[in-house]
Amino acid sequence: MMNSSVMRGVLRYLSPAAFAAACVMLISAVALFMQPYIGMADNGDFFRILYSNGLYFNDPNYNSQYLGFFVKNYGIYQYYNENGATLYSSQSLFIKASMYVNHIFHDAQNFDIRYQAMLYLVLYVIAVYLLVEALTWKISKKKGYLIAVIAIFILGDTGYTAYFNSFYSESVVLLMTVLLFAAGLLLYRKRYNDYVLLAVFVLSAIALTTSKQQNAPVGIITAVLGIFIIYIRKKRSYRIVTLISLFVMLGVGIGTYVLIPKEFVNINKYHAMTRGVLMDSVNPEKTLETFGINKQYAVLNGSLYYNPYASVDVNSKMLQDNFYSKYGFGSILSYYLSHPDQAGNMLNLAARDGFTIRPKAMGNYEQSVGKSFGAQTVFFSGYSLLKDALSPKTFGFIILWILIVLGLYTPAFVAAIRQRQWRSALRLPLIVMMILMGLSGIFVSIIGAGDADLSKHEFLFTLTFDLVSLLTVVDVLAKRLWNNEPINELETDES
């Protein structure tokens, strides 16, 4: 009885958004900071971001823990770091900040990754608060708490938060995507200051775009769809600032693509051919000839760039001149367009992994815990497990989902455009932006790297799917799919 009265007292003073943020913080803190600590094992990618930020692997048994076990402690270079940046990523900013906190409260020679997780979690709690505030704005408190519980079930899932105890860029992708969507929805609902929200929107888009090279299209997509944000206020200064911001986002997207290091270009191109085009081809030799490549290279079909015993040196000049130089993103895209059956097979392959939040290949526990190699936690993983088990694994389902969502929101968009209520029209472009961002994750993965590490490469899709689906469910519950909630209030004080 006392517990229920305490709960009623808490709910009386906590808004749904604050309740959701507090619960996500508590659940994630238990998973990340209480034994057994939950994190993500290294699949071999950590070195890309680790060395250039002044960290190194100091566990003598680290190599034996790849994929199987989470490692939380790393060494910090004390004098000279000869390693230059292997890639340019906004993730480095978060690593440097967490190293600074680690230096103050922990140790100058050893880095505990939980300080990074702490920084990410603080930002994530803020992002969850803003998103739930946008979802529950001007909704009854009873429905607001129901929406908060749904948000907790999805966004508090350890399939998402386990990334915070890792050096995967998916942590930044998660944070910035939620912040981007929240800022867009808050602009749409005229909640908080427009200039502040515009800044959050732009900075989130830039950080998301630069978090990994695969996200280069995000800057272009957000810049193009962000055009609608220009018109929500009539003030000239606001429109100039917004337009400049959109050009910056566009430039960042293009720049992120241009600055992809050649080493990673070759890795992705190798997999795009051997784990994509050739793997599903009926006649690999003939397929190679369509690209002007000697058919003898069909021996590479199905191989990985990292195979220790390869039939040819993947870094050799011979492969550079006779293989890598013969094709690119455009030619592979053209190939798939001219071979729709093969493209359909690859899209269905992508769909099978497109609803997996946490890749099955990486374990979540430290070796000292005594769990089996590659063991994964089930603590607060109900949503990720259900999603993986119940989601239809076909690209046709993704198309159907997109058509349903767009069909539900189009009438309100058309009505707002007809009445020239630009702020009210912002909701559908935001949804289209998120969908295109998610689809870019699928298409870039397939065309750029075949099926190599596909479930992790599609993280942006599975996240945007969840956020758009959450918004749709909320708008159904709130009965505001076909109205513009209300237009007059949204459009006041625009000058």
mmCIF file of all heavy atoms in Angstrom, residues 188 402-421 424-429 431-432 472 475 480-485 487:
data_model
loop_
_atom_site.group_PDB
_atom_site.id
_atom_site.type_symbol
_atom_site.label_atom_id
_atom_site.label_comp_id
_atom_site.label_asym_id
_atom_site.label_seq_id
_atom_site.Cartn_x
_atom_site.Cartn_y
_atom_site.Cartn_z
ATOM 1 N N TYR A 188 8.246 21.533 -34.334
ATOM 2 C CA TYR A 188 6.906 21.345 -34.905
ATOM 3 C C TYR A 188 5.820 21.721 -33.899
ATOM 4 O O TYR A 188 4.818 22.349 -34.242
ATOM 5 C CB TYR A 188 6.765 19.886 -35.343
ATOM 6 C CG TYR A 188 5.346 19.397 -35.497
ATOM 7 C CD1 TYR A 188 4.509 19.919 -36.484
ATOM 8 C CD2 TYR A 188 4.840 18.404 -34.662
ATOM 9 C CE1 TYR A 188 3.206 19.458 -36.628
ATOM 10 C CE2 TYR A 188 3.551 17.943 -34.797
ATOM 11 C CZ TYR A 188 2.730 18.472 -35.781
ATOM 12 O OH TYR A 188 1.438 18.023 -35.916
ATOM 13 N N ILE A 402 6.536 1.693 -44.633
ATOM 14 C CA ILE A 402 6.720 3.064 -45.115
ATOM 15 C C ILE A 402 5.422 3.601 -45.717
ATOM 16 O O ILE A 402 5.005 4.734 -45.428
ATOM 17 C CB ILE A 402 7.853 3.125 -46.160
ATOM 18 C CG1 ILE A 402 9.206 2.825 -45.499
ATOM 19 C CG2 ILE A 402 7.896 4.494 -46.846
ATOM 20 C CD1 ILE A 402 10.343 2.664 -46.480
ATOM 21 N N LEU A 403 4.747 2.790 -46.546
ATOM 22 C CA LEU A 403 3.509 3.222 -47.194
ATOM 23 C C LEU A 403 2.416 3.506 -46.174
ATOM 24 O O LEU A 403 1.659 4.488 -46.297
ATOM 25 C CB LEU A 403 3.039 2.160 -48.190
ATOM 26 C CG LEU A 403 3.927 1.966 -49.431
ATOM 27 C CD1 LEU A 403 3.408 0.807 -50.275
ATOM 28 C CD2 LEU A 403 3.984 3.250 -50.251
ATOM 29 N N ILE A 404 2.331 2.678 -45.137
ATOM 30 C CA ILE A 404 1.312 2.882 -44.093
ATOM 31 C C ILE A 404 1.576 4.181 -43.338
ATOM 32 O O ILE A 404 0.674 4.998 -43.127
ATOM 33 C CB ILE A 404 1.284 1.687 -43.124
ATOM 34 C CG1 ILE A 404 0.707 0.452 -43.824
ATOM 35 C CG2 ILE A 404 0.446 2.013 -41.876
ATOM 36 C CD1 ILE A 404 0.788 -0.824 -43.003
ATOM 37 N N VAL A 405 2.826 4.383 -42.931
ATOM 38 C CA VAL A 405 3.178 5.589 -42.176
ATOM 39 C C VAL A 405 2.918 6.847 -43.001
ATOM 40 O O VAL A 405 2.291 7.801 -42.530
ATOM 41 C CB VAL A 405 4.656 5.532 -41.717
ATOM 42 C CG1 VAL A 405 5.090 6.875 -41.151
ATOM 43 C CG2 VAL A 405 4.853 4.440 -40.678
ATOM 44 N N LEU A 406 3.392 6.845 -44.234
ATOM 45 C CA LEU A 406 3.188 8.021 -45.088
ATOM 46 C C LEU A 406 1.710 8.251 -45.377
ATOM 47 O O LEU A 406 1.242 9.401 -45.418
ATOM 48 C CB LEU A 406 3.965 7.871 -46.393
ATOM 49 C CG LEU A 406 5.500 7.786 -46.281
ATOM 50 C CD1 LEU A 406 6.136 7.731 -47.665
ATOM 51 C CD2 LEU A 406 6.059 8.964 -45.488
ATOM 52 N N GLY A 407 0.963 7.163 -45.557
ATOM 53 C CA GLY A 407 -0.470 7.286 -45.801
ATOM 54 C C GLY A 407 -1.216 7.876 -44.619
ATOM 55 O O GLY A 407 -2.159 8.667 -44.795
ATOM 56 N N LEU A 408 -0.780 7.536 -43.418
ATOM 57 C CA LEU A 408 -1.439 8.055 -42.221
ATOM 58 C C LEU A 408 -1.192 9.552 -42.027
ATOM 59 O O LEU A 408 -2.069 10.277 -41.544
ATOM 60 C CB LEU A 408 -0.954 7.284 -40.984
ATOM 61 C CG LEU A 408 -1.442 5.840 -40.849
ATOM 62 C CD1 LEU A 408 -0.723 5.148 -39.694
ATOM 63 C CD2 LEU A 408 -2.954 5.789 -40.624
ATOM 64 N N TYR A 409 -0.010 10.017 -42.386
ATOM 65 C CA TYR A 409 0.360 11.404 -42.103
ATOM 66 C C TYR A 409 0.143 12.375 -43.270
ATOM 67 O O TYR A 409 0.150 13.587 -43.068
ATOM 68 C CB TYR A 409 1.828 11.474 -41.663
ATOM 69 C CG TYR A 409 2.048 11.018 -40.244
ATOM 70 C CD1 TYR A 409 2.554 9.753 -39.967
ATOM 71 C CD2 TYR A 409 1.736 11.855 -39.174
ATOM 72 C CE1 TYR A 409 2.744 9.332 -38.653
ATOM 73 C CE2 TYR A 409 1.927 11.443 -37.856
ATOM 74 C CZ TYR A 409 2.430 10.177 -37.608
ATOM 75 O OH TYR A 409 2.609 9.768 -36.308
ATOM 76 N N THR A 410 -0.040 11.855 -44.471
ATOM 77 C CA THR A 410 -0.173 12.735 -45.634
ATOM 78 C C THR A 410 -1.398 13.654 -45.579
ATOM 79 O O THR A 410 -1.287 14.847 -45.932
ATOM 80 C CB THR A 410 -0.171 11.909 -46.932
ATOM 81 O OG1 THR A 410 1.092 11.248 -47.051
ATOM 82 C CG2 THR A 410 -0.397 12.789 -48.145
ATOM 83 N N PRO A 411 -2.594 13.176 -45.168
ATOM 84 C CA PRO A 411 -3.760 14.076 -45.149
ATOM 85 C C PRO A 411 -3.542 15.342 -44.323
ATOM 86 O O PRO A 411 -3.894 16.445 -44.757
ATOM 87 C CB PRO A 411 -4.873 13.198 -44.558
ATOM 88 C CG PRO A 411 -4.480 11.808 -44.922
ATOM 89 C CD PRO A 411 -2.987 11.788 -44.827
ATOM 90 N N ALA A 412 -2.956 15.212 -43.136
ATOM 91 C CA ALA A 412 -2.710 16.383 -42.291
ATOM 92 C C ALA A 412 -1.688 17.307 -42.943
ATOM 93 O O ALA A 412 -1.792 18.536 -42.854
ATOM 94 C CB ALA A 412 -2.223 15.944 -40.914
ATOM 95 N N PHE A 413 -0.692 16.730 -43.622
ATOM 96 C CA PHE A 413 0.316 17.530 -44.311
ATOM 97 C C PHE A 413 -0.323 18.337 -45.444
ATOM 98 O O PHE A 413 -0.069 19.540 -45.587
ATOM 99 C CB PHE A 413 1.413 16.614 -44.859
ATOM 100 C CG PHE A 413 2.426 17.305 -45.718
ATOM 101 C CD1 PHE A 413 3.411 18.093 -45.152
ATOM 102 C CD2 PHE A 413 2.390 17.170 -47.107
ATOM 103 C CE1 PHE A 413 4.358 18.735 -45.945
ATOM 104 C CE2 PHE A 413 3.324 17.804 -47.906
ATOM 105 C CZ PHE A 413 4.303 18.587 -47.325
ATOM 106 N N VAL A 414 -1.156 17.676 -46.241
ATOM 107 C CA VAL A 414 -1.820 18.352 -47.352
ATOM 108 C C VAL A 414 -2.709 19.487 -46.841
ATOM 109 O O VAL A 414 -2.722 20.595 -47.394
ATOM 110 C CB VAL A 414 -2.643 17.350 -48.188
ATOM 111 C CG1 VAL A 414 -3.495 18.076 -49.227
ATOM 112 C CG2 VAL A 414 -1.721 16.339 -48.861
ATOM 113 N N ALA A 415 -3.446 19.215 -45.760
ATOM 114 C CA ALA A 415 -4.322 20.241 -45.178
ATOM 115 C C ALA A 415 -3.512 21.442 -44.697
ATOM 116 O O ALA A 415 -3.911 22.596 -44.894
ATOM 117 C CB ALA A 415 -5.121 19.646 -44.025
ATOM 118 N N ALA A 416 -2.373 21.184 -44.079
ATOM 119 C CA ALA A 416 -1.528 22.280 -43.574
ATOM 120 C C ALA A 416 -0.957 23.101 -44.724
ATOM 121 O O ALA A 416 -0.900 24.334 -44.649
ATOM 122 C CB ALA A 416 -0.400 21.707 -42.715
ATOM 123 N N ILE A 417 -0.536 22.444 -45.803
ATOM 124 C CA ILE A 417 0.005 23.161 -46.961
ATOM 125 C C ILE A 417 -1.074 24.032 -47.595
ATOM 126 O O ILE A 417 -0.823 25.192 -47.963
ATOM 127 C CB ILE A 417 0.573 22.168 -48.001
ATOM 128 C CG1 ILE A 417 1.822 21.476 -47.444
ATOM 129 C CG2 ILE A 417 0.887 22.873 -49.315
ATOM 130 C CD1 ILE A 417 3.001 22.389 -47.211
ATOM 131 N N ARG A 418 -2.273 23.488 -47.718
ATOM 132 C CA ARG A 418 -3.371 24.254 -48.311
ATOM 133 C C ARG A 418 -3.694 25.507 -47.498
ATOM 134 O O ARG A 418 -4.051 26.550 -48.055
ATOM 135 C CB ARG A 418 -4.616 23.368 -48.429
ATOM 136 C CG ARG A 418 -4.550 22.364 -49.580
ATOM 137 C CD ARG A 418 -5.757 21.455 -49.590
ATOM 138 N NE ARG A 418 -5.728 20.550 -50.738
ATOM 139 C CZ ARG A 418 -6.569 19.535 -50.906
ATOM 140 N NH1 ARG A 418 -7.503 19.291 -49.995
ATOM 141 N NH2 ARG A 418 -6.482 18.771 -51.972
ATOM 142 N N GLN A 419 -3.558 25.391 -46.184
ATOM 143 C CA GLN A 419 -3.847 26.525 -45.306
ATOM 144 C C GLN A 419 -2.607 27.366 -45.047
ATOM 145 O O GLN A 419 -2.650 28.313 -44.274
ATOM 146 C CB GLN A 419 -4.422 26.019 -43.977
ATOM 147 C CG GLN A 419 -5.742 25.284 -44.131
ATOM 148 C CD GLN A 419 -6.224 24.699 -42.810
ATOM 149 O OE1 GLN A 419 -6.293 25.396 -41.796
ATOM 150 N NE2 GLN A 419 -6.545 23.420 -42.813
ATOM 151 N N ARG A 420 -1.482 26.992 -45.715
ATOM 152 C CA ARG A 420 -0.214 27.711 -45.576
ATOM 153 C C ARG A 420 0.227 27.802 -44.117
ATOM 154 O O ARG A 420 0.755 28.819 -43.671
ATOM 155 C CB ARG A 420 -0.323 29.105 -46.214
ATOM 156 C CG ARG A 420 -0.800 29.077 -47.660
ATOM 157 C CD ARG A 420 -0.898 30.455 -48.270
ATOM 158 N NE ARG A 420 0.417 30.979 -48.621
ATOM 159 C CZ ARG A 420 1.075 30.664 -49.744
ATOM 160 N NH1 ARG A 420 0.550 29.809 -50.605
ATOM 161 N NH2 ARG A 420 2.262 31.194 -49.998
ATOM 162 N N GLN A 421 -0.007 26.721 -43.383
ATOM 163 C CA GLN A 421 0.422 26.625 -41.984
ATOM 164 C C GLN A 421 1.726 25.805 -41.972
ATOM 165 O O GLN A 421 1.716 24.581 -41.800
ATOM 166 C CB GLN A 421 -0.663 25.951 -41.128
ATOM 167 C CG GLN A 421 -2.029 26.612 -41.212
ATOM 168 C CD GLN A 421 -2.063 27.952 -40.475
ATOM 169 O OE1 GLN A 421 -1.071 28.348 -39.852
ATOM 170 N NE2 GLN A 421 -3.179 28.649 -40.547
ATOM 171 N N SER A 424 2.807 23.508 -38.997
ATOM 172 C CA SER A 424 1.975 22.308 -38.923
ATOM 173 C C SER A 424 2.349 21.297 -40.001
ATOM 174 O O SER A 424 2.092 20.107 -39.849
ATOM 175 C CB SER A 424 0.495 22.684 -39.064
ATOM 176 O OG SER A 424 0.104 23.517 -38.003
ATOM 177 N N ALA A 425 2.933 21.799 -41.098
ATOM 178 C CA ALA A 425 3.326 20.907 -42.196
ATOM 179 C C ALA A 425 4.660 20.212 -41.932
ATOM 180 O O ALA A 425 5.080 19.350 -42.709
ATOM 181 C CB ALA A 425 3.414 21.698 -43.500
ATOM 182 N N LEU A 426 5.337 20.568 -40.850
ATOM 183 C CA LEU A 426 6.700 20.083 -40.601
ATOM 184 C C LEU A 426 6.762 18.609 -40.214
ATOM 185 O O LEU A 426 7.781 17.950 -40.423
ATOM 186 C CB LEU A 426 7.342 20.947 -39.503
ATOM 187 C CG LEU A 426 8.807 20.679 -39.156
ATOM 188 C CD1 LEU A 426 9.698 20.841 -40.382
ATOM 189 C CD2 LEU A 426 9.254 21.626 -38.040
ATOM 190 N N ARG A 427 5.663 18.077 -39.668
ATOM 191 C CA ARG A 427 5.705 16.711 -39.130
ATOM 192 C C ARG A 427 6.051 15.665 -40.198
ATOM 193 O O ARG A 427 6.923 14.812 -39.976
ATOM 194 C CB ARG A 427 4.363 16.381 -38.469
ATOM 195 C CG ARG A 427 4.311 14.993 -37.831
ATOM 196 C CD ARG A 427 3.056 14.801 -36.994
ATOM 197 N NE ARG A 427 1.837 15.013 -37.777
ATOM 198 C CZ ARG A 427 0.606 14.783 -37.307
ATOM 199 N NH1 ARG A 427 0.457 14.349 -36.060
ATOM 200 N NH2 ARG A 427 -0.450 14.999 -38.060
ATOM 201 N N LEU A 428 5.364 15.698 -41.344
ATOM 202 C CA LEU A 428 5.626 14.701 -42.385
ATOM 203 C C LEU A 428 7.056 14.789 -42.929
ATOM 204 O O LEU A 428 7.711 13.744 -43.084
ATOM 205 C CB LEU A 428 4.605 14.823 -43.514
ATOM 206 C CG LEU A 428 4.762 13.783 -44.636
ATOM 207 C CD1 LEU A 428 4.593 12.373 -44.099
ATOM 208 C CD2 LEU A 428 3.776 14.050 -45.768
ATOM 209 N N PRO A 429 7.588 15.981 -43.247
ATOM 210 C CA PRO A 429 8.995 16.035 -43.680
ATOM 211 C C PRO A 429 9.969 15.455 -42.656
ATOM 212 O O PRO A 429 10.967 14.837 -43.038
ATOM 213 C CB PRO A 429 9.229 17.539 -43.876
ATOM 214 C CG PRO A 429 7.890 18.085 -44.219
ATOM 215 C CD PRO A 429 6.921 17.284 -43.396
ATOM 216 N N ILE A 431 9.303 12.982 -40.622
ATOM 217 C CA ILE A 431 9.154 11.529 -40.725
ATOM 218 C C ILE A 431 9.854 11.011 -41.973
ATOM 219 O O ILE A 431 10.568 9.996 -41.926
ATOM 220 C CB ILE A 431 7.659 11.155 -40.733
ATOM 221 C CG1 ILE A 431 7.038 11.438 -39.366
ATOM 222 C CG2 ILE A 431 7.458 9.686 -41.108
ATOM 223 C CD1 ILE A 431 5.525 11.335 -39.334
ATOM 224 N N VAL A 432 9.672 11.700 -43.101
ATOM 225 C CA VAL A 432 10.345 11.309 -44.348
ATOM 226 C C VAL A 432 11.862 11.372 -44.169
ATOM 227 O O VAL A 432 12.600 10.493 -44.636
ATOM 228 C CB VAL A 432 9.890 12.213 -45.513
ATOM 229 C CG1 VAL A 432 10.718 11.926 -46.760
ATOM 230 C CG2 VAL A 432 8.409 11.999 -45.799
ATOM 231 N N THR A 472 4.230 7.223 -34.431
ATOM 232 C CA THR A 472 2.954 6.812 -35.021
ATOM 233 C C THR A 472 2.015 6.240 -33.970
ATOM 234 O O THR A 472 0.828 6.586 -33.924
ATOM 235 C CB THR A 472 3.195 5.777 -36.137
ATOM 236 O OG1 THR A 472 4.132 6.298 -37.080
ATOM 237 C CG2 THR A 472 1.894 5.441 -36.856
ATOM 238 N N ASP A 475 0.732 9.107 -31.802
ATOM 239 C CA ASP A 475 -0.277 9.935 -32.464
ATOM 240 C C ASP A 475 -1.607 9.204 -32.617
ATOM 241 O O ASP A 475 -2.669 9.831 -32.652
ATOM 242 C CB ASP A 475 0.242 10.409 -33.819
ATOM 243 C CG ASP A 475 1.255 11.538 -33.686
ATOM 244 O OD1 ASP A 475 1.299 12.159 -32.608
ATOM 245 O OD2 ASP A 475 2.002 11.800 -34.643
ATOM 246 N N ARG A 480 -4.325 12.272 -32.967
ATOM 247 C CA ARG A 480 -3.923 13.490 -33.655
ATOM 248 C C ARG A 480 -3.194 13.206 -34.971
ATOM 249 O O ARG A 480 -2.377 13.982 -35.433
ATOM 250 C CB ARG A 480 -3.057 14.363 -32.746
ATOM 251 C CG ARG A 480 -1.809 13.715 -32.212
ATOM 252 C CD ARG A 480 -1.153 14.610 -31.174
ATOM 253 N NE ARG A 480 0.116 14.063 -30.734
ATOM 254 C CZ ARG A 480 0.805 14.521 -29.688
ATOM 255 N NH1 ARG A 480 0.339 15.535 -28.990
ATOM 256 N NH2 ARG A 480 1.959 13.988 -29.352
ATOM 257 N N LEU A 481 -3.529 12.063 -35.580
ATOM 258 C CA LEU A 481 -2.947 11.743 -36.875
ATOM 259 C C LEU A 481 -3.443 12.679 -37.968
ATOM 260 O O LEU A 481 -2.689 13.081 -38.844
ATOM 261 C CB LEU A 481 -3.288 10.299 -37.271
ATOM 262 C CG LEU A 481 -2.381 9.190 -36.728
ATOM 263 C CD1 LEU A 481 -2.981 7.836 -37.068
ATOM 264 C CD2 LEU A 481 -0.977 9.311 -37.293
ATOM 265 N N TRP A 482 -4.735 13.003 -37.911
ATOM 266 C CA TRP A 482 -5.343 13.760 -39.008
ATOM 267 C C TRP A 482 -5.646 15.203 -38.651
ATOM 268 O O TRP A 482 -6.307 15.913 -39.387
ATOM 269 C CB TRP A 482 -6.623 13.071 -39.472
ATOM 270 C CG TRP A 482 -6.326 11.751 -40.099
ATOM 271 C CD1 TRP A 482 -5.794 11.535 -41.328
ATOM 272 C CD2 TRP A 482 -6.496 10.457 -39.508
ATOM 273 N NE1 TRP A 482 -5.629 10.189 -41.558
ATOM 274 C CE2 TRP A 482 -6.051 9.493 -40.452
ATOM 275 C CE3 TRP A 482 -6.976 10.008 -38.285
ATOM 276 C CZ2 TRP A 482 -6.085 8.130 -40.207
ATOM 277 C CZ3 TRP A 482 -7.012 8.642 -38.033
ATOM 278 C CH2 TRP A 482 -6.559 7.718 -38.987
ATOM 279 N N ASN A 483 -5.203 15.640 -37.479
ATOM 280 C CA ASN A 483 -5.363 17.053 -37.164
ATOM 281 C C ASN A 483 -3.995 17.676 -36.934
ATOM 282 O O ASN A 483 -3.009 16.972 -36.814
ATOM 283 C CB ASN A 483 -6.258 17.260 -35.927
ATOM 284 C CG ASN A 483 -5.661 16.628 -34.676
ATOM 285 O OD1 ASN A 483 -4.565 16.979 -34.265
ATOM 286 N ND2 ASN A 483 -6.377 15.694 -34.069
ATOM 287 N N ASN A 484 -3.969 18.974 -36.843
ATOM 288 C CA ASN A 484 -2.691 19.682 -36.741
ATOM 289 C C ASN A 484 -2.515 20.393 -35.414
ATOM 290 O O ASN A 484 -1.896 21.417 -35.331
ATOM 291 C CB ASN A 484 -2.537 20.641 -37.914
ATOM 292 C CG ASN A 484 -2.283 19.903 -39.206
ATOM 293 O OD1 ASN A 484 -1.332 19.144 -39.310
ATOM 294 N ND2 ASN A 484 -3.160 20.063 -40.177
ATOM 295 N N GLU A 485 -3.107 19.985 -34.428
ATOM 296 C CA GLU A 485 -2.943 20.058 -32.971
ATOM 297 C C GLU A 485 -2.538 21.351 -32.292
ATOM 298 O O GLU A 485 -1.433 21.452 -31.814
ATOM 299 C CB GLU A 485 -1.961 18.984 -32.502
ATOM 300 C CG GLU A 485 -0.864 18.631 -33.451
ATOM 301 C CD GLU A 485 0.203 17.731 -32.899
ATOM 302 O OE1 GLU A 485 0.728 17.987 -31.807
ATOM 303 O OE2 GLU A 485 0.536 16.776 -33.557
ATOM 304 N N ILE A 487 -3.835 24.149 -35.084
ATOM 305 C CA ILE A 487 -3.046 25.004 -35.979
ATOM 306 C C ILE A 487 -2.856 26.407 -35.411
ATOM 307 O O ILE A 487 -1.761 26.950 -35.421
ATOM 308 C CB ILE A 487 -3.705 25.076 -37.375
ATOM 309 C CG1 ILE A 487 -3.497 23.740 -38.099
ATOM 310 C CG2 ILE A 487 -3.125 26.196 -38.200
ATOM 311 C CD1 ILE A 487 -4.162 23.649 -39.427
#
